Amino acid sequence: MPTETNLAVPVPAEPVRAEPASRFGAPQAFTAVSFPVLGGALHVAGVPLQDIFVLLGGCGALGAAAVVTVSGGRRRAASLAGAVLRAAAAGK
């Protein structure tokens, strides 16, 4: 005589959702504070303002490209790269 085996697996009534990460956290605060501090320190050291803006703009563009790439947006990363290249070409 065959026996019926039922494996009871509890299923939650609602899907378990983790709390979304806050949009502004310690990494964003560090960046928001460090860019002006670094720019000010470079200016005090005698670096021309145009060079400071190019350096910090490049760092910001690389950071934005890394975030977009990690978040899975290839199309957005390609459009960001195109925008950076157009901006660099217009600045020359």
Side-chain angles (χ1 to χ4, degrees):
M1 179 172 7
T3 59
E4 190 173 313
T5 305
N6 290 331
L7 298 176
V9 178
V11 177
E14 294 180 21
V16 178
R17 295 182 183 170
E19 288 293 321
S22 65
R23 298 223 179 246
F24 191 82
Q28 291 83 8
F30 176 75
T31 303
V33 170
S34 66
F35 270 50
V37 169
L38 180 60
L42 289 172
H43 181 64
V44 169
V47 177
L49 282 177
Q50 185 172 358
D51 292 345
I52 294 171
F53 290 138
V54 169
L55 174 69
L56 295 180
C59 290
L62 288 173
V67 167
V68 169
T69 303
V70 168
S71 67
R74 277 191 183 191
R75 185 178 298 169
R76 282 185 257 167
S79 65
L80 177 65
V84 168
L85 291 174
R86 284 190 300 274
K92 289 184 178 182

